[in-house]
Amino acid sequence: MRSPHIVAVAAVVAVVLVGCRSGEAPPAAPAAPEAASDRADGPGTAPAEPTAVLYGRVLGSDHQNAAPSDWQVRVTAEYEDGTDVAPRDRDSTGELFAFKVVPGKRVRLYFEAVPYQASVTEFVDVTDERRYASRVPDIVMDRIRWTMALFANGNGEAFGRNLEAQAAVAEQTGSADIFRANLEFYRKASARFPDCLRRLQAFERTPRGVALTQQAEARGVPVSLLEGLVQRPAEVATTEPDALRALAANPRVAQTLRNEARRALDAPTPEARTPRR
């Protein structure tokens, strides 16, 4: 019996492969893979560019067996030769993701979500075979919290280097909304580590930190509310419910950040909680 994960992954790949085949006329006779790559889709049309599928599964380090129902990760692909992947980024379907890519190229994938450290793969060689599906090993994103190895011994220098690397990913992918929200989770986790907190505060004042904040605001992220949303969600839900509703409904903002706003709005107020006896 196949596991549900394998069945689900197969379903996603099947959908992508069907998309790869749409519009192609069947060959008159069997052809070698090289000939199939150069065959035109129909009379008078240019040869179809060969496509392959790169797919896999992405989870958070705190997901025991499966991702939560609202889990969605922004996945960005880039070719080593600098040419554009089309589409360049897409959201995962739950824990599953898939990209159509050009065979023979080397592809790197970026994974970003709130509140998790961005993950980046090494460049992956895509098979030269037409419409061949290649699975990427499972990606596990490290949840941002004070117990993560990043904060071992409160090493501010290592933390600062990590922050710069995460910012560089956001610049490369255009995901300032995710990075700026994650900065507040780093702030919360840094409360026990004064040197790390100082590094974070210094980063915010740098041109890079200011630029990423401005980019997040341009996408409709209420940056001034993010610290409260992370540190005091119930209070922000009471004092700024309209701003949180707007954030939760903003299609330009990453799903995982919108989820944080929804959770704050859906949480019971202190008055509504059943008192302990």
Side-chain angles (χ1 to χ4, degrees), residues 146 151 185-197 231:
W146 72 271
F151 292 102
F185 284 93
Y186 286 120
R187 191 191 312 279
K188 182 177 181 179
S190 296
R192 296 168 181 251
F193 310 104
D195 194 21
C196 294
L197 184 57
Q231 305 272 10

Side-chain angles (χ1 to χ4, degrees), residues 72-150:
Q72 193 177 64
V73 176
R74 183 176 293 161
V75 189
T76 304
E78 96 178 339
Y79 290 132
E80 187 178 36
D81 64 9
T83 56
D84 291 333
V85 182
R88 182 171 182 265
D89 61 78
R90 65 194 313 161
D91 292 328
S92 68
T93 303
E95 63 189 40
L96 307 177
F97 66 89
F99 274 90
K100 287 193 292 185
V101 292
V102 177
K105 288 182 177 285
R106 284 164 57 79
V107 185
R108 176 162 59 190
L109 300 175
Y110 298 80
F111 300 85
E112 296 167 283
V114 178
Y116 297 84
Q117 283 246 102
S119 294
V120 185
T121 69
E122 299 293 335
F123 280 103
V124 177
D125 288 310
V126 179
T127 176
D128 282 327
E129 294 183 40
R130 184 180 177 84
R131 295 192 295 271
Y132 190 86
S134 300
R135 177 163 182 168
V136 176
D138 285 358
I139 304 297
V140 179
M141 303 179 70
D142 202 359
R143 186 180 177 94
I144 299 170
R145 46 190 170 188
W146 72 271
T147 56
M148 65 193 299
L150 172 64

Side-chain angles (χ1 to χ4, degrees), residues 26 39 133 217 276:
R39 180 177 47 79
E217 289 173 335
R276 296 181 181 178

Side-chain angles (χ1 to χ4, degrees), residues 114-116 144-146 151 159 163 176-191 197 200-201 203-204 209 213 216 221-232 257 260:
V114 178
Y116 297 84
I144 299 170
R145 46 190 170 188
W146 72 271
F151 292 102
F159 174 75
L163 207 58
D177 55 333
I178 295 175
F179 174 80
R180 194 56 188 77
N182 280 345
L183 198 65
E184 297 306 330
F185 284 93
Y186 286 120
R187 191 191 312 279
K188 182 177 181 179
S190 296
L197 184 57
L200 186 151
Q201 293 167 339
F203 171 84
E204 288 182 290
T213 293
V221 177
V223 171
S224 61
L225 293 183
L226 288 180
E227 183 175 2
L229 175 60
V230 173
Q231 305 272 10
R232 305 173 301 280
L257 176 51
E260 295 296 323

